[in-house]
Amino acid sequence: MSVLLRVRDLAVAYGHIEAVKGLTFHLNTGEITALVGANGAGKSTTLLALSGLLKPARGKIEFDGEDITALPAHQIVKRGVVQVAEGRAILTTLTVAENLVLGAYTRTDKAEIAASLDEVYALFPRLKDRADQFAGNLSGGEQQMLAIGRALMAKPKLLLLDEPSMGLAPIMVQEIFRTLVEINRRGLTILLVEQNVRQALKIARHGYVIETGEIVLADSGENLLANPKVEEAYLGG
């Protein structure tokens, strides 16, 4: 299995406070990897650093064999790393279709963009039904589908997802996670950041548990689910 993303000794600070303290981990091509932990553990900060939206205090980020540590965010997107931000960040005064097309802003082939749009509508039929509606009129779950769909329009090699289940009804959470499995089955590598530890580890091949900016456990998703420490700390055991 080839390594798509390799992170070495990644540290990120806000002023004098080190939020991420020397993380070392990797993602295998074509797998779902979960980064789980409590609120404030440093999960979102890690994703922002991988996206180029926060500059690391130290460490190295390699993507597809290239050092991307110092690259600006738009260059990282062009290389195929696309993030779905916590809180979705859709443009509520644009239609669903307009939001999706915006996701393809780094691409120029109109026929391929149209094909990607068809793929997103096949994955999320609700979005097709609401294509001409303003995105602000969608439910929370539909907005999350739109945010994921917009990210897919960029044709990513790696999808970074920050808390996709946050604030959603349980039935919608199940639907979102089923779709993530389907997207991964089609070959997309996913890094999933989640407070919903059970759901994340159920679909992840590998998982890392982060506490106060440090990785404290690393194993297969299955083994972490069965780990008494994880059960006690995160699964209500």
Side-chain angles (χ1 to χ4, degrees):
M1 184 65 69
S2 64
V3 173
L4 183 63
L5 182 84
R6 192 180 296 279
V7 178
R8 293 187 178 94
D9 193 32
L10 179 70
V12 185
Y14 296 103
H16 297 298
I17 299 168
E18 202 169 56
V20 170
K21 304 169 183 175
L23 299 190
T24 295
F25 65 94
H26 70 274
L27 309 181
N28 290 329
T29 303
E31 293 185 352
I32 298 176
T33 302
L35 182 63
V36 298
N39 196 19
K43 306 185 302 298
S44 295
T45 299
T46 301
L47 286 194
L48 291 171
L50 298 182
S51 300
L53 295 168
L54 283 176
K55 290 303 167 197
R58 68 171 189 276
K60 187 175 183 181
I61 303 166
E62 284 181 13
F63 178 70
D64 215 7
E66 180 187 2
D67 185 348
I68 64 167
T69 315
L71 287 183
H74 69 278
Q75 290 290 346
I76 291 174
V77 170
K78 281 186 175 179
R79 281 157 177 77
V81 180
V82 178
Q83 179 168 349
V84 178
E86 181 183 342
R88 302 184 270 279
I90 61 165
L91 298 169
T92 55
T93 57
L94 297 183
T95 67
V96 167
E98 287 168 339
N99 267 274
L100 290 173
V101 171
L102 271 178
Y105 74 94
T106 60
R107 302 169 62 191
T108 54
D109 189 309
K110 289 184 178 177
E112 287 186 10
I113 291 170
S116 294
L117 193 58
D118 288 340
E119 287 175 19
V120 169
Y121 284 150
L123 268 173
F124 298 112
R126 290 185 194 205
L127 297 184
K128 186 173 186 179
D129 294 342
R130 292 160 174 72
D132 298 324
Q133 292 184 19
F134 288 120
N137 294 335
L138 300 182
S139 70
E142 290 163 351
Q143 289 187 3
Q144 185 65 9
M145 291 175 183
L146 179 56
I148 294 170
R150 184 179 59 186
L152 294 176
M153 290 295 294
K155 274 284 185 197
K157 295 179 185 175
L158 171 60
L159 186 63
L160 307 176
L161 284 158
D162 195 358
E163 304 285 3
S165 75
M166 182 178 284
L168 301 186
I171 192 165
M172 189 57 75
V173 172
Q174 296 289 343
E175 192 169 337
I176 293 289
F177 275 79
R178 272 198 303 274
T179 306
L180 294 182
V181 170
E182 173 59 25
I183 293 166
N184 172 250
R185 192 185 65 76
R186 298 179 184 190
L188 183 57
T189 307
I190 294 174
L191 177 58
L192 174 61
V193 157
E194 258 295 342
Q195 285 182 4
N196 190 332
V197 174
R198 189 186 303 275
Q199 285 286 356
L201 294 179
K202 273 183 182 176
I203 68 168
R205 177 71 65 88
H206 292 286
Y208 297 94
V209 178
I210 183 171
E211 288 180 4
T212 57
E214 298 179 277
I215 289 171
V216 294
L217 287 170
D219 209 331
S220 68
E222 188 178 12
N223 286 347
L224 286 173
L225 263 180
N227 186 312
K229 289 180 183 174
V230 174
E231 189 171 348
E232 184 180 343
Y234 301 107
L235 305 179

